[in-house]
Amino acid sequence: DPVFVGLPNAKPIHIRQIEHKTWKELISKYVDNKGKVDYRTWHAQQHDQDKIDLYLATLSSASTNRGTPATKEQRLAFWINAYNALTIKGILREYPTTSIRNHTSRIWGYNIWHDLKLHVGDRTFSLDEIEHKVLRPMKEPRIHFAIVCASIGCPRLLDEAYVPSRVDEQLTLNVKDFFSREKNFRYDAAAKRFHLSSILEWFAEDFGEDQTQQLLRIRPWLPDGRAK
């Protein structure tokens, strides 16, 4: 059965008025600079579990239909934070657990990607919907290196909240960190062959229509000496 978090029918406020201060405090406390989350300590601190619930309830108030339309930067920061907070809430709810994949039933039963839902305005959004129906249509491929999948092989979780005024800088920071790791990008000069993260395969169309376009798209994010 679906699990709902946040507040249904929360009083709407413009998305730019949503504060991410609580989220910033939580992840700066429980996430290290490598993106590793200390779920054990976080789970043991009930007051900080309450804080993530409070933050998710705050997100429920967001509305993009009030007054001046939200900017792309405001929407990116909001939905990236929402995705990451919802994922971590889902893991804390299941903790102790050995893997998020223990909670991704393919046929029946609870699937964290589809059944964990956040109230936002008069709708609910699953992790899958936030990623594929909200974030990807913004045509910003760097989101794939910002949203956390709660697995060791994923891009790191940035240890600070995304904010509209710095979201471009923050996205670039994380994507450069990702490609600085040899397991995610490597060029074999002898074989004239690129070895790329599976993310570039799974979401290839987000980076370009063909491999040439995709490589040109990621080129600015590659470490010096590997972008030639």
Side-chain angles (χ1 to χ4, degrees):
D1 292 337
V3 173
F4 298 97
V5 299
L7 291 176
N9 305 312
K11 182 179 179 181
I13 62 175
H14 196 282
I15 196 170
R16 68 171 175 268
Q17 295 175 279
I18 298 294
E19 289 283 345
H20 300 289
K21 181 180 178 181
T22 298
W23 182 233
K24 177 183 177 181
E25 291 174 353
L26 289 170
I27 54 179
S28 64
K29 185 174 181 179
Y30 294 109
V31 181
D32 66 20
N33 60 9
K34 295 181 180 179
K36 186 176 180 180
V37 183
D38 185 356
Y39 288 109
R40 177 183 296 179
T41 305
W42 197 337
H43 186 267
Q45 301 298 320
Q46 186 58 52
H47 63 284
D48 282 340
Q49 287 210 56
D50 293 341
K51 281 186 178 180
I52 195 172
D53 290 338
L54 177 63
Y55 175 67
L56 290 166
T58 299
L59 298 182
S60 295
S61 300
S63 171
T64 58
N65 301 319
R66 297 173 65 85
T68 306
T71 65
K72 182 177 181 179
E73 290 77 16
Q74 289 167 345
R75 290 182 290 121
L76 279 169
F78 175 88
W79 286 108
I80 292 170
N81 288 334
Y83 186 99
N84 290 342
L86 187 59
T87 300
I88 289 180
K89 170 63 181 178
I91 297 300
L92 289 171
R93 180 177 176 270
E94 304 297 336
Y95 192 86
T97 182
T98 56
S99 171
I100 193 171
R101 300 199 179 278
N102 294 340
H103 315 288
T104 55
S105 172
R106 290 179 178 272
I107 302 175
W108 55 74
Y110 176 74
N111 184 315
I112 193 171
W113 306 119
H114 305 294
D115 297 322
L116 181 63
K117 295 176 180 283
L118 173 65
H119 289 284
V120 179
D122 59 358
R123 288 191 55 191
T124 60
F125 294 84
S126 67
L127 289 166
D128 190 70
E129 288 170 327
I130 294 173
E131 179 177 9
H132 299 291
K133 301 295 181 61
V134 179
L135 283 169
R136 291 184 68 193
M138 292 189 204
K139 305 298 183 183
E140 175 47 80
R142 289 175 296 175
I143 61 106
H144 295 298
F145 312 101
I147 55 177
V148 62
C149 69
S151 177
I152 293 295
C154 294
R156 71 172 181 177
L157 171 62
L158 195 63
D159 58 347
E160 59 185 51
Y162 285 85
V163 292
S165 62
R166 293 185 54 235
V167 68
D168 182 69
E169 172 192 342
Q170 291 171 308
L171 287 170
T172 296
L173 181 69
N174 237 30
V175 70
K176 285 187 172 183
D177 173 84
F178 182 82
F179 284 118
S180 71
R181 303 172 191 276
E182 193 170 288
K183 66 178 182 178
N184 297 325
F185 178 88
R186 189 172 76 257
Y187 178 62
D188 185 339
K192 296 183 179 180
R193 186 179 183 87
F194 289 100
H195 298 270
L196 301 171
S197 162
S198 296
I199 287 175
L200 276 296
E201 177 183 349
W202 298 334
F203 305 108
E205 65 269 29
D206 292 2
F207 294 87
E209 294 181 0
D210 54 38
Q211 189 177 72
T212 298
Q213 287 188 12
Q214 292 155 15
L215 290 171
L216 287 173
R217 187 70 180 91
I218 68 172
R219 183 177 178 178
W221 309 325
L222 302 179
D224 292 342
R226 294 165 67 188
K228 297 179 180 179

